[in-house]
Amino acid sequence: MKIPFSPPYIDQDVINEVVDALQSGWITTGPKVKALENEIKRFTGTKEVLCVNSWTSGAIMMLKWWGVKEGDEVIVPAYTYCATALAVMHAGAKPVMVDSGDDFNISVEAIREAITSRTKAIIPVDIAGFPCDYNAIMNLVNEPKIKALFLPETENQQKFGRILVLNDAAHSLGAWYEKGIRTGSETDIAIFSLHAVKNVTTAEGGAICLNLTEPFNNAALYEELRMMSLNCQTKDAFSKSKAGGWRYDVIGFGMKINMADVNAAIGLTQIRKYNELLKERKRVFQMYNEAFSKYDWAVLPPKEKDGRETSYHLYALRIKNFTEEKRDAIIDEIAKQEVAVNVHFIPMPMLTFFKQQGYNIDDYPVAYDNFKREISLPIYPQLTNDQVQYVIEAVLSAYEKIK
Ligand SMILES: *Cc1c(COP(=O)(O)O)cnc(C)c1O
């Protein structure tokens, strides 16, 4: 039985919605993008949502908007996908990598130790869909002595008066960060990825959630950022396409990172039925939990804690006392059963580019320990119970061989 790792969820409704966009006479940013933004807003309870063409481009734009520059520092976990740090570098600042906790997420104590007067932002990452401890992180940046360290250098930073918290919520659309509150509104800014392997997808895409407090106006900010995502052109292509609407101006240094309607159409039907899709992901997660909880070598992934609940994006199984070599060998065994698994993540300091920048994995012992024993199992709504059972058996027999 062949089990792919993470195929996109494409049913007839998705196809119909895309065909509708194609036949409408308008294929780039327009009504479908607006509808998707509204659906994500409604689903998450976020104040404003702006869709762009990827998580990465959205994060670069938000850091540019915030005004980071050379010499500034942005704190990120070492244990994440490379985009988290690359966005910081593209925006012109230095990623300061810190270690993680046992739940895979950035350690709040490590953040505290890394804060300097150059720190302009923190990017926590909800690894596998399990939200970070945002109450602790938001309390930290609001502590009087941490606020006193903050050196505002732009008008926005002046108005804000503290370190910005931008959640890399690439995995956590649909997670609960507190009882009754979905992720998206837990930090100043949160960005979801709508990439092909994520829970809700537009093939490529990102959704920026705005939750800034006074004196910022999120609705006005939405308009400003929307323009910024369209080269800071005062009129978008939709308005310009109307008769007589040709004249425009360019009023700032923008980027070209808008989402197209054909892409938005893919995600639109998915988010409309997302509650059901989440239930199916949870079913798979529970089946794995039930099976592996019988073995004391298996460390189950974080699921729920103090009102926080995962979005069931990844099933990140860890194996007690395993070495990297044994983990790699167990993956080879599982692959022989035609089950595709993955590892989330190779910590950034282990990747050539970041090594060249001077980062060293020895400085991140927890990140390395999480990585070396981790295997991500397939988890998506289309998996049948028989298929999940097949994956479980493939893992169990591989473990018996390798241990
Ligand atoms: C997928 C992912 C990203 C990047 O998302 P894109 O939409 O592909 O730019 C960023 N951070 C994490 C943790 C991711 O998994």
Side-chain angles (χ1 to χ4, degrees):
M1 198 184 304
K2 261 202 179 110
I3 315 263
F5 183 67
S6 178
Y9 188 86
I10 307 296
D11 62 2
Q12 195 55 44
D13 292 338
V14 172
I15 293 166
N16 292 346
E17 196 70 38
V18 173
V19 169
D20 186 60
L22 289 171
Q23 290 178 332
S24 72
W26 191 261
I27 58 174
T28 187
T29 312
K32 298 275 189 221
V33 170
K34 194 76 210 164
L36 179 63
E37 290 173 347
N38 285 335
E39 291 288 348
I40 297 175
K41 208 153 89 172
R42 186 164 2 173
F43 188 86
T44 60
T46 309
K47 293 200 183 87
E48 292 293 339
V49 173
L50 174 74
C51 283
V52 290
N53 64 5
S54 75
W55 181 95
T56 307
S57 60
I60 296 170
M61 182 174 76
M62 292 318 298
L63 289 167
K64 280 176 183 274
W65 167 83
W66 179 235
V68 301
K69 54 158 182 38
E70 209 184 322
D72 287 347
E73 297 176 348
V74 177
I75 297 173
V76 301
Y79 195 86
T80 179
Y81 181 59
C82 62
T84 317
L86 292 177
V88 174
M89 295 173 76
H90 277 293
K94 177 181 186 245
V96 172
M97 296 185 193
V98 303
D99 210 357
S100 310
D102 189 44
D103 63 355
F104 294 103
N105 285 339
I106 192 165
S107 149
V108 181
E109 268 323 295
I111 295 177
R112 177 189 293 280
E113 282 163 29
I115 291 175
T116 72
S117 57
R118 291 182 296 274
T119 308
K120 290 293 193 293
I122 300 168
I123 310 185
V125 186
D126 301 333
I127 300 288
F130 185 69
C132 298
D133 186 350
Y134 289 107
N135 291 330
I137 293 170
M138 297 314 286
N139 284 341
L140 175 65
V141 295
N142 280 300
E143 277 179 23
K145 79 171 188 290
I146 299 289
K147 275 178 107 164
L149 263 184
F150 184 67
L151 281 181
E153 291 178 88
T154 65
E155 206 186 313
N156 282 333
Q157 292 172 10
Q158 201 94 44
K159 275 203 272 182
F160 212 65
R162 65 159 168 81
I163 297 169
L164 182 84
V165 182
L166 189 164
N167 178 7
D168 178 342
H171 299 177
S172 62
L173 177 56
W176 301 100
Y177 104 89
E178 215 175 82
K179 201 123 202 94
I181 311 177
R182 298 268 194 200
T183 51
S185 53
E186 65 287 353
T187 49
D188 307 314
I189 295 161
I191 308 180
F192 297 120
S193 171
L194 305 173
H195 176 265
V197 301
K198 305 290 156 69
N199 280 18
V200 170
T201 181
T202 56
E204 295 287 350
I208 304 171
C209 304
L210 305 172
N211 300 288
L212 293 161
T213 47
E214 292 278 336
F216 289 93
N217 174 330
N218 290 292
L221 182 58
Y222 169 87
E223 295 299 334
E224 179 189 335
L225 292 168
R226 191 180 168 88
M227 195 186 292
M228 192 172 175
S229 73
L230 285 156
N231 285 333
C232 279
Q233 187 170 306
T234 52
K235 249 181 213 171
D236 63 19
F238 197 63
S239 335
K240 272 180 63 199
S241 74
K242 300 203 177 103
W246 65 275
R247 191 178 282 281
Y248 64 90
D249 195 6
V250 171
I251 57 169
F253 185 29
M255 295 168 72
K256 184 60 170 59
I257 60 166
N258 55 305
M259 177 183 281
D261 265 21
V262 275
N263 286 94
I266 303 172
L268 197 48
T269 40
Q270 292 177 0
I271 188 100
R272 283 180 180 147
K273 55 177 90 167
Y274 191 38
N275 272 319
E276 277 93 285
L277 298 179
L278 269 175
K279 264 186 223 148
E280 296 303 315
R281 286 181 169 275
K282 188 169 178 174
R283 164 182 59 84
V284 176
F285 195 103
Q286 308 271 47
M287 275 186 76
Y288 285 143
N289 262 5
E290 229 161 84
F292 296 119
S293 61
K294 298 188 190 107
Y295 301 89
D296 66 355
W297 52 262
V299 183
L300 308 187
K303 178 171 172 283
E304 278 165 299
K305 192 186 177 189
D306 310 330
R308 287 182 275 160
E309 185 181 340
T310 180
S311 65
Y312 304 97
H313 174 58
L314 298 171
Y315 190 88
L317 180 69
R318 276 169 293 182
I319 301 184
K320 238 175 237 170
N321 301 325
F322 247 35
T323 59
E324 203 179 329
E325 292 70 31
K326 278 194 169 176
R327 188 274 316 276
D328 295 355
I330 203 172
I331 289 181
D332 290 343
E333 271 312 310
I334 296 170
K336 285 184 195 153
Q337 309 292 314
E338 299 192 303
V339 173
V341 298
N342 253 297
V343 173
H344 293 90
F345 285 95
I346 304 173
M348 292 186 292
M350 296 180 75
L351 304 170
T352 301
F353 175 70
F354 294 103
K355 278 192 225 167
Q356 287 165 350
Q357 309 288 314
Y359 299 96
N360 184 341
I361 189 63
D362 294 344
D363 297 330
Y364 311 97
V366 183
Y368 179 72
D369 182 58
N370 283 333
F371 154 76
K372 77 178 208 290
R373 307 181 285 130
E374 200 268 354
I375 306 172
S376 300
L377 305 183
I379 175 168
Y380 42 91
Q382 307 93 303
L383 280 174
T384 64
N385 289 350
D386 285 349
Q387 288 174 314
V388 178
Q389 200 51 49
Y390 182 81
V391 175
I392 292 166
E393 277 152 28
V395 173
L396 293 178
S397 66
Y399 177 82
E400 283 308 316
K401 261 195 196 153
I402 300 304
K403 71 169 189 205

